[in-house]
Amino acid sequence: MSSENEGTAVPPVPSAPPASEETPAAPPAADRPVPPAPAAPPAANAPTEQLPPVPAGQPAVPAPAAPVPAPAAPASAPAAPAAPPVPDAAQGAPAGQPYAAPHHADQPYAGQQHAGQPYAASAQQAPGAWPPPAVPAHGYDGGWGGTAPLQQPVPQQPAKKGRGGLIATVLVAALVAGGIGGGIGFGLAGSDPSGSTVVSAAGGSVQRAPDSVAGVAAAALPSTVTIDAQNSGGEGGTGTGFVFDTEGHIVTNNHVVAEAVDNGKVTATFPDGKKYDAEVVGHAQGYDVAVIKLKKAPADLKPLALGDSDKVAVGDPTIAIGAPFGLSNTVTTGIISAKNRPVASSDGGAGSKASYMSALQTDASINPGNSGGPLLDADGAVIGINSAIQSASGGFGTGQAGSIGLGFAIPINQAKFVAQELIRTGKPVYAKIGASVTMTEGEGGARIVGDSDSAVEPGGPADKAGLEPGDVITRFDDKAIDSGPALIGEIWTHKPGDKVELTFERDGRERTVDVTLGSRVGDN
């Protein structure tokens, strides 16, 4: 089957190919070969005499130079024609090629042949019938992609199973498969008594494994919500969240609900259409994590299972759920493209501050409105919270840019700790080293800047470890540090009280010290 037919209209095929202008004229009737006459007239109701066999090596049905009218036959019984014409096997096609009637601009398409396909214009022929019956045209109405179904007219006489029936079936199947992507199997059906061809989908009910994308999505969607957050003036936007516990807490991004923090309005809508009013329990601008709680939460909430983002590997499959551009309950797939990607994101609003993360990078399609939605692994466990994208115009952010395959999610291990603190106290808790660092690129690390009092917090973790202004931090535990944002993102993946190993350069020499992380409460 030629791929040239996929998605292309097949015009009706005439009963006999038209004669080419270059084809020599048919010889006079007297010069044409005549098969030997039968020894005796055929008996009543006897079939007409069969055509002479086609010589070996020639196509089964040649293209005659010109149609010849059928001889008259008595109404009572068919009779053999006096001299039925025998098409010249050498005419109508170049040497070494199958017969294919040429197409002219002023003539209908006459069964153009594609490589690997039989000659479509020569179809089923009842024994003894002359001229051959017309092949039903498997065309359609309205153009490819239109709403009209394929039309399959009934031929003038019943068609028998054979090569012609198979050709018609293959043509229809090619059009259907090409139009819907070519990925659906089909069955080749024979011709029914009326001569119409039936194409049936390969059958039975579809079984989807629980760990398939469809299975994971079906289990996770009922536990995701579309969030609408507005300030007191009615301004705001939409985002996504997911059920965190049975008490009605929903985890999302801070920038999704930031507009509604002060006397605003928040609603959460589940995929079944049920909408609930909600309130902001707590939000962490630096982490870009927030928690809302449903008012009058239903008793049958099913929290999503939380995975372990530390065990995620590059290449692992991912499934993202969200409401991109307001299209709720959208599911996309991809892989983990990278881990520990330092990202500073901002919603671009006036006075907005950056959020920092050591992100999971994915190529699953993420767009505005996906923010706050779960990033799932192949088992359906949450491994991250979709938060930011890299836009084609450059820069990280959450503005109205489209996906280019560079999405970033907050690791769930970090988000879980933040969410639990917000539920418990309403305020975020940040780990810190107690030093101010540059936020520019090209430093080769995170350089401690400022005077002796402002650069290093007196009595803080960095001070106790002996760090000084001018030191350049190049590693945090086993992670390379190339800038201030990268350092902050790594610090915030830890909890206050964690012990880490810092590597820094001073006066061209590399040194390593142990630091116990301190804590800071709130965003100010």
Side-chain angles (χ1 to χ4, degrees):
M1 185 190 310
S2 171
S3 62
E4 294 175 18
N5 275 344
E6 294 184 3
T8 306
V10 179
V13 181
S15 59
S20 169
E21 295 177 359
E22 299 176 0
T23 304
D31 297 334
R32 287 197 291 268
V34 178
N45 299 325
T48 58
E49 181 172 304
Q50 300 296 317
L51 296 176
V54 178
Q58 299 293 340
V61 182
V68 179
S76 59
V86 179
D88 187 351
Q91 292 181 351
Q97 295 184 359
Y99 286 91
H103 176 61
H104 299 286
D106 57 346
Q107 293 177 332
Y109 189 94
Q112 182 180 0
Q113 183 182 16
H114 295 282
Q117 291 184 332
Y119 180 48
S122 299
Q124 301 149 333
Q125 177 177 332
W130 188 270
V135 178
H138 296 277
Y140 58 89
D141 195 9
W144 194 254
T147 58
L150 290 168
Q151 302 298 316
Q152 302 188 29
V154 179
Q156 296 178 355
Q157 70 177 60
K160 294 185 178 181
K161 294 181 180 179
R163 186 181 179 200
L166 178 61
I167 295 170
T169 303
V170 171
L171 281 176
V172 174
L175 286 172
V176 174
I180 57 177
I184 297 180
F186 58 86
L188 292 180
S191 300
D192 64 19
S194 67
S196 63
T197 302
V198 179
V199 178
S200 301
S205 60
V206 178
Q207 301 296 326
R208 296 179 177 89
D211 59 352
S212 66
V213 173
V216 170
L221 277 168
S223 298
T224 61
V225 296
T226 298
I227 297 174
D228 182 38
Q230 298 179 359
N231 61 20
S232 57
E235 297 177 345
T238 61
T240 310
F242 61 91
V243 178
F244 187 69
D245 58 27
T246 57
E247 284 71 40
H249 291 108
I250 306 292
V251 172
T252 185
N253 281 140
N254 172 72
H255 72 261
V256 171
V257 300
E259 291 283 356
V261 169
D262 297 324
N263 302 317
K265 180 181 178 181
V266 180
T267 60
T269 304
F270 285 84
D272 61 4
K274 294 181 180 179
K275 180 184 290 188
Y276 297 87
D277 290 332
E279 60 182 352
V280 179
V281 172
H283 62 104
Q285 180 271 323
Y287 290 122
D288 198 16
V289 174
V291 176
I292 64 174
K293 186 175 183 180
L294 303 179
K295 299 177 181 179
K296 300 180 181 180
D300 58 349
L301 287 176
K302 295 182 179 180
L304 289 182
L306 304 184
D308 186 348
S309 53
D310 289 340
K311 294 182 179 179
V312 170
V314 173
D316 282 351
T318 58
I319 302 171
I321 300 178
F325 298 102
L327 301 174
S328 300
N329 316 317
T330 295
V331 178
T332 57
T333 62
I335 63 169
I336 293 293
S337 306
K339 295 179 59 177
N340 307 310
R341 183 72 73 191
V343 174
S345 65
S346 171
D347 59 10
S352 63
K353 298 179 181 179
S355 299
Y356 301 97
M357 68 184 94
S358 182
L360 297 175
Q361 180 181 324
T362 180
D363 66 348
S365 182
I366 297 175
N367 290 286
N370 276 101
S371 293
L375 184 69
L376 309 174
D377 63 14
D379 295 324
V382 182
I383 55 175
I385 301 176
N386 301 318
S387 181
I389 61 174
Q390 172 74 53
S391 66
S393 59
F396 296 98
T398 54
Q400 296 296 308
S403 171
I404 59 171
L406 297 173
F408 304 96
I410 302 166
I412 194 59
N413 291 5
Q414 174 185 349
K416 177 183 177 181
F417 165 72
V418 176
Q420 290 172 334
E421 288 297 314
L422 292 176
I423 294 172
R424 187 173 70 87
T425 68
K427 296 181 178 181
V429 178
Y430 297 90
K432 69 173 186 177
I433 63 171
S436 298
V437 297
T438 57
M439 302 302 289
T440 57
E441 302 288 341
E443 294 284 345
R447 182 181 298 275
I448 299 177
V449 293
D451 55 37
S452 58
D453 292 331
S454 63
V456 179
E457 177 186 335
D463 186 33
K464 292 179 180 179
L467 278 83
E468 301 176 355
D471 292 344
V472 179
I473 300 172
T474 57
R475 296 192 72 83
F476 185 91
D477 272 347
D478 59 343
K479 305 295 191 307
I481 302 298
D482 60 3
S483 66
L487 176 63
I488 295 173
E490 285 299 327
I491 292 173
W492 286 355
T493 63
H494 290 70
K495 301 175 184 178
D498 286 352
K499 292 184 178 180
V500 298
E501 188 177 80
L502 281 183
T503 300
F504 64 96
E505 293 180 357
R506 179 188 296 168
D507 299 329
R509 295 180 56 188
E510 187 174 86
R511 305 183 185 189
T512 299
V513 294
D514 292 329
V515 175
T516 300
L517 299 177
S519 65
R520 172 172 65 87
V521 178
D523 281 313
N524 296 324

